Amino acid sequence: MSAALTIGVLSLQGGVAEHLAALARVDGVRGVPVSKASELGSVDAIILPGGESTAIGRLLRDFGMADPLRERIAAGLPAWGTCAGMILLAKDIDNDDRRHVGLMDISVRRNAYGGQLSSFDASAVIDGLGERPFPLVFIRAPVITRTGPAVEVLASLDGRAIACVQGAMAATSFHPELTRDERFHRWFAALARREA
Amino acid sequence: MHMEDRQRINRDLARMLKGGVIMDVVDADQARIAEAAGAVAVMALERVPADIRREGGVARMSDPRLIKEIRAAVSIPVMAKARIGHFMEARVLESLGIDYIDESEVLTPADDRYHIDKTAFKAPFVCGARNLGEALRRVGEGAAMIRTKGEAGTGDIVEAVRHLREIDDGIRAVLAAPKEELMTIAKELGAPYELVLEVRALGRLPVVNFSAGGVATPADAALMMALGAEGVFVGSGIFKSADPERRARAIVKAVTFWNDPAIVAEASEGLGEAMRGIDVKSDAGAERFASRGV
């Protein structure tokens, strides 16, 4: 058995506790909150959780964390963004001038389903997670409107990509941490081990 | 979609606000300032609670035009208040596509006996509470999020502290009691038994709980987080202060780093005057907003 993998969860605002709880259910993984740049050095991978991307982005800048985070991810730190976290990772945001980490070659549109309709349940088969459909919880969900050539789409819903991966970066427009299904967290841990 | 699924999604929706600050705004400019400062949502209203308190009269739902202007100005969720029991105001707000409805004691209650049946709506509701029984009654009616009431518009944190501690006391009593006492506890709380069982299983409220009603400084906000609030509403405290933009950013920082007093200190520095405020004790003759809709 290899040493425990330490996965940080960016802990500035949003659904942090839910990711930590999901990580606690995955063998061989230790989840830790990360709220300061100095803590980035002690994690093997990082999850950017859901929340409000504008608020998280503001805090990243105010506390001098945006650049160190971008540099670490650019240097290969495995990163997975869920919902707002995906917006942080995206290179392009169709309806917003702000850019945050901006490293993953995807374009996203914020609040793309509009108001209350942007939150719904569904399910889909996700490449790499077996044949059993994965429960999908969308909360004011962003839509992936473009994926670059290096981006592999893992799942789609109604013709739109909802989960994708580019090297050590992964993004989902839905929230696996709000379900009792840890397969995506396990998948990310495996990706992190492979890329480490 | 089944009603139960909608209820669960609405509870999940509120979880994404955790660790954040929700700011009262009265126009699109204030909403933009709030968003830029890092607010996770704004509450659109015509008068902040301090003005409602000062001016008196009947406080009602805001003009839909104002709500639309605020919605158009920001990308973060927009909340708006309906009077307690005024399900028609709530329907109007829902038809505007509002992200959350606050059935609020800050407005003049429309019904002095019944709250809105919140399960009849797609839009999530947030409701005020002073103790566990009140919180669970609101959740039983369909609230997806609770905020402790505090005493809005005073800038005095004492009621917010009291209400959060009372909810905590209630939860501790539920956790400590043997199972056979829970039905009697539910009866005494005036709370649905099933929700008392849920509190016992979770060790916490079944929905997200923010603090409201009296937060005026970064240290106030950090205090409420340290006492277990999952985020804060700031009503009059920001736009009734000398430098709203800086104060807004400072409170956002203090909520995220509530456990780091050095950061709270830095955020508190040179903010100019806080809202003047009213000592709740000195205002004994006035009706407490918090005593409305229990």
Side-chain angles (χ1 to χ4, degrees):
Chain A
M1 163 111 201
S2 54
L5 186 78
T6 302
I7 299 183
V9 179
L10 185 67
S11 177
L12 296 174
Q13 189 276 316
V16 176
E18 290 75 9
H19 270 298
L20 290 172
L23 290 173
R25 298 194 296 264
V26 177
D27 287 340
V29 167
R30 196 170 68 96
V32 295
V34 169
S35 58
K36 294 189 174 154
S38 59
E39 293 162 348
L40 278 173
S42 53
V43 298
D44 302 312
I46 191 148
I47 292 175
L48 311 180
E52 278 304 318
S53 62
T54 53
I56 300 173
R58 166 92 265 160
L59 288 158
L60 279 174
R61 288 191 298 280
D62 278 356
F63 287 95
M65 239 186 130
D67 291 337
L69 181 64
R70 185 180 305 110
E71 284 156 19
R72 281 279 282 144
I73 295 173
L77 179 73
W80 166 27
T82 54
C83 195
M86 176 175 92
I87 296 170
L88 296 181
L89 279 181
K91 199 169 263 179
D92 294 305
I93 309 172
D94 293 345
N95 50 347
D96 197 330
D97 296 333
R98 283 164 283 226
R99 296 292 174 275
H100 307 283
V101 175
L103 286 173
M104 193 165 179
D105 191 16
I106 56 174
S107 300
V108 300
R109 174 170 285 275
R110 294 181 60 203
N111 306 327
Y113 297 91
Q116 294 136 24
L117 298 174
S118 62
S119 303
F120 58 95
D121 277 331
S123 65
V125 173
I126 297 179
D127 279 359
L129 298 191
E131 283 173 20
R132 184 161 50 89
F134 194 86
L136 307 172
V137 180
F138 292 90
I139 307 275
R140 280 171 63 84
V143 163
I144 301 170
T145 55
R146 179 191 65 85
T147 54
V151 176
E152 182 193 348
V153 174
L154 300 173
S156 297
L157 189 69
D158 301 330
R160 285 163 158 161
I162 55 169
C164 52
V165 59
Q166 175 189 353
M169 291 182 285
T172 56
S173 55
F174 53 94
H175 291 271
E177 78 283 8
L178 294 178
T179 70
R180 293 291 299 176
D181 194 325
E182 296 88 39
R183 279 180 292 163
F184 210 98
H185 286 80
R186 222 174 278 133
W187 174 89
F188 179 62
L191 172 109
R193 280 214 175 80
R194 223 170 35 242
E195 298 286 335
Chain B
M1 187 182 296
H2 289 295
M3 197 181 82
E4 294 75 24
D5 292 337
R6 176 51 63 184
Q7 293 282 302
R8 187 183 44 70
I9 285 190
N10 281 348
R11 288 182 184 190
D12 283 344
L13 194 62
R15 291 201 215 184
M16 293 304 141
L17 300 172
K18 282 193 302 181
V21 182
I22 298 166
M23 302 181 191
D24 279 6
V25 297
V26 300
D27 57 37
D29 284 340
Q30 289 188 356
R32 279 187 281 265
I33 290 172
E35 180 177 48
V40 290
V42 291
M43 178 76 70
L45 71 180
E46 279 171 10
R47 295 184 288 169
V48 294
D51 290 336
I52 292 173
R53 184 173 288 283
R54 191 166 45 83
E55 292 165 11
V58 176
R60 309 179 179 91
M61 176 188 81
S62 296
D63 185 334
R65 179 179 296 166
L66 173 84
I67 293 168
K68 284 185 187 165
E69 285 168 3
I70 289 173
R71 280 201 78 202
V74 296
S75 63
I76 55 180
V78 177
M79 305 185 171
K81 291 183 192 289
R83 282 178 267 179
I84 288 173
H86 207 315
F87 57 85
M88 199 51 70
E89 284 187 348
R91 282 192 202 165
V92 169
L93 292 174
E94 184 173 62
S95 79
L96 296 172
I98 202 82
D99 294 296
Y100 289 79
I101 299 168
D102 181 3
E103 187 182 16
S104 176
E105 71 283 1
V106 171
L107 304 185
T108 312
D111 193 321
D112 60 8
R113 191 161 162 73
Y114 302 109
H115 279 71
I116 296 169
D117 170 18
K118 293 165 272 289
T119 63
F121 290 78
K122 275 191 205 155
F125 276 73
V126 54
C127 284
R130 297 173 308 172
N131 52 49
L132 182 61
E134 222 175 304
L136 294 183
R137 286 195 289 282
R138 300 296 86 79
V139 174
E141 293 156 0
M145 176 177 183
I146 291 294
R147 54 173 175 73
T148 48
K149 284 177 170 172
E151 191 56 27
T154 62
D156 187 346
I157 198 70
V158 66
E159 296 295 300
V161 169
R162 187 208 312 281
H163 298 159
L164 200 56
R165 285 198 185 277
E166 285 188 7
I167 287 180
D168 266 1
D169 283 350
I171 292 171
R172 276 196 297 272
V174 167
L175 295 178
K179 184 150 190 287
E180 66 269 23
E181 294 182 7
L182 292 179
M183 183 60 85
T184 298
I185 287 176
K187 181 186 75 175
E188 288 165 0
L189 287 172
Y193 179 61
E194 290 67 28
L195 291 178
V196 171
L197 292 182
E198 203 175 336
V199 166
R200 189 181 174 85
L202 297 170
R204 41 158 295 150
L205 283 180
V207 301
V208 165
N209 183 24
F210 271 42
S211 171
V215 173
T217 67
D220 286 346
L223 171 68
M224 299 319 295
M225 297 300 288
L227 289 173
E230 296 179 284
V232 301
F233 284 81
V234 188
S236 321
I238 289 173
F239 289 99
K240 283 287 169 189
S241 75
D243 188 345
E245 203 159 348
R246 288 193 57 203
R247 187 165 292 266
R249 281 177 73 169
I251 291 177
V252 168
K253 288 179 186 174
V255 164
T256 296
F257 290 101
W258 58 268
N259 206 18
D260 190 331
I263 291 179
V264 179
E266 199 188 320
S268 304
E269 209 174 300
L271 292 182
E273 206 170 330
M275 71 179 282
R276 179 156 174 77
I278 302 166
D279 175 349
V280 171
K281 280 198 309 298
S282 73
D283 204 26
E287 189 203 0
R288 297 268 170 99
F289 288 163
S291 65
R292 296 166 165 179
V294 299

